Amino acid sequence: MTRLRATLLVILALVAAGGLGTWWWQTHERVQLWIDLPQRGEVTYNPLYVLKLALRSDGVQVQSRQRLQLDEVSLGARDTLVLLNDPRRLSQRETTVLLDWISQGGHLLARTPPPSQFQAGDPVPLLQGLGVRPRTDTTPECIALQVPGEPPHSEFCQGRRFDLDHATTGSPRWGNDAAGYVYARLAHGAGHVDVLADLDFLGNEKLEDGPHITLARQLLAPNYRAGTVHVVYAAQMPSLWMLLLRHSWMAWLPLGLLLIGWLWRRMQRFGPELPSPAVERRSLLEHIAASGEHTYRYGYAHLLHAAARDAFMARLRRSDPQAAALEGAVQVGLIAERLQRPHAEIRDALATPAAGDHAAFRTRIATLIRLRNQL
């Protein structure tokens, strides 16, 4: 019987497993899903990281850094420099070194100042040395960029156009004297300078588009594969506080809120200063009265009467030692004669009241206190 039951259980388990497997394969389908992981490493802070990888994949020697570092890195006569940052941040010494390097055969890619924080008359030594004058107004309209095999594309929609001096010879140019130029290749000595309204098309996200790739190859063509391409994506590092503000807010914001909450809890309340409330306390007489009530409540009234009588007899011994030394009716008579009170009142006051007789207790205590004050 046991073997039969075990066989049935095994059969039921196999049937259940088969049914579950059939239902699973009929209702589920294996698919592949691509999920973009969060960016890590250099790509998070280098906007020209994809450009560096693309140049290296083509066999070009590339050096990528945040600053120019002209004292540490020397520029060759056939090298190319991509300067992504605002040219106004260059020092006078850096500008002079770059112009000398270009005149010896270097190739520079530079942009005009960004649309924000630029006014007429702001000095841009690098561009002024090349005969380029940035306009104060931003780009009025985009420039159409048509690449064979690619859909129509617009470029330089957010850049700052520029004007060229008449003595400047630049070929090719993109734009006109009326609307301004968005691109010009200027000869300077033995080298060339490509001035653009913006270099955002070289960014990591935008370099995936076909028109941007084509434009980047055309710009790098003069010295392409001839020397090292120096990619400088920030000629000047931002301050430490700005970096903390941009990238560490998830840490300092909760800490700041905790600090504000702690200060709020620790600081004194607003409003006029008020005296502290009176602390509950008892005087000595209140303590004595409370102690007497406690003793009386628990059935020890005879002790209270004895204490009042002892206080009366102590006063009597000081004022009339003879009466205090006597006992019984003789003592009662002398006290009544001295205080001019009835004998019965004196006798009842000195006698211990019966337990539970509250009226007699209060009367005799009051009488003893009154007699004591008369001595």
Side-chain angles (χ1 to χ4, degrees), residues 356-372:
D357 192 351
H358 304 297
F361 171 77
R362 289 192 294 269
T363 301
R364 294 179 185 186
I365 291 294
T367 301
L368 288 173
I369 294 174
R370 185 171 60 254
L371 296 176
R372 179 176 174 272

Side-chain angles (χ1 to χ4, degrees), residues 43-342:
V43 69
T44 59
Y45 58 86
N46 184 1
L48 301 180
Y49 179 72
V50 175
L51 175 63
K52 182 181 73 171
L53 296 182
L55 292 175
R56 284 183 178 177
S57 65
D58 288 345
V60 180
Q61 186 176 0
V62 183
Q63 291 187 12
S64 177
R65 56 187 181 274
Q66 293 179 337
R67 295 170 294 176
L68 276 175
Q69 300 177 350
L70 296 178
D71 296 333
E72 302 177 5
V73 181
S74 60
L75 301 177
R78 302 295 296 172
D79 290 350
T80 299
L81 174 61
V82 180
L83 188 61
L84 181 64
N85 207 35
D86 189 347
R88 292 177 299 174
R89 294 187 177 182
L90 296 175
S91 64
Q92 185 63 40
R93 174 182 173 277
E94 292 174 338
T95 302
T96 303
V97 172
L98 288 180
L99 292 177
D100 293 341
W101 165 72
I102 297 170
S103 63
Q104 297 174 5
H107 178 211
L108 173 66
L109 270 71
R111 56 164 300 171
T112 57
S116 60
Q117 301 179 355
F118 181 78
Q119 299 178 356
D122 289 351
V124 189
L126 178 63
L127 300 183
Q128 291 175 354
L130 299 172
V132 177
R133 290 176 286 103
R135 291 195 170 190
T136 56
D137 56 339
T138 57
T139 303
E141 60 183 6
C142 300
I143 299 296
L145 178 61
Q146 185 63 45
V147 177
E150 296 287 342
H153 192 76
S154 299
E155 199 58 59
F156 304 109
C157 297
Q158 301 296 329
R160 181 180 298 279
R161 298 193 179 192
F162 56 90
D163 296 324
L164 299 174
D165 293 340
H166 295 289
T168 302
T169 59
S171 178
R173 301 180 182 184
W174 199 352
N176 52 63
D177 294 336
Y181 295 92
V182 296
Y183 167 73
R185 176 168 294 168
L186 309 175
H188 184 74
H192 295 82
V193 179
D194 287 336
V195 181
L196 297 100
D198 201 349
L199 290 176
D200 58 345
F201 61 91
L202 296 177
N204 294 333
E205 301 296 335
K206 295 187 177 182
L207 202 58
E208 299 178 354
D209 299 336
H212 293 162
I213 296 175
T214 303
L215 181 59
R217 288 184 177 274
Q218 291 178 352
L219 292 176
L220 295 172
N223 289 357
Y224 195 58
R225 300 179 184 272
T228 302
V229 177
H230 301 267
V231 178
V232 179
Y233 54 88
Q236 182 178 357
M237 281 288 293
S239 64
L240 175 61
W241 297 111
M242 183 59 65
L243 290 177
L244 293 177
L245 180 63
R246 291 179 178 177
H247 304 288
S248 301
W249 63 269
M250 291 180 290
W252 60 257
L253 181 59
L255 294 177
L257 293 177
L258 290 176
L259 178 60
I260 293 175
W262 179 81
L263 293 175
W264 179 271
R265 183 176 181 180
R266 297 293 298 177
M267 73 177 185
Q268 296 182 355
R269 64 177 180 83
F270 296 103
E273 295 184 358
L274 298 177
S276 302
V279 182
E280 296 184 0
R281 56 182 298 275
R282 284 181 176 179
S283 63
L284 180 59
L285 293 179
E286 290 175 342
H287 278 285
I288 294 175
S291 178
E293 293 176 356
H294 180 76
T295 303
Y296 181 78
R297 187 181 304 112
Y298 283 91
Y300 296 97
H302 61 284
L303 297 179
L304 297 175
H305 179 267
R309 183 176 56 191
D310 291 343
F312 170 74
M313 296 303 296
R315 178 71 65 85
L316 182 63
R317 280 192 295 270
R318 290 192 297 268
S319 59
D320 192 349
Q322 181 180 1
L326 299 175
E327 295 180 357
V330 179
Q331 184 185 50
V332 172
L334 290 177
I335 295 174
E337 182 179 357
R338 177 180 177 82
L339 299 178
Q340 300 297 321
R341 305 297 300 177

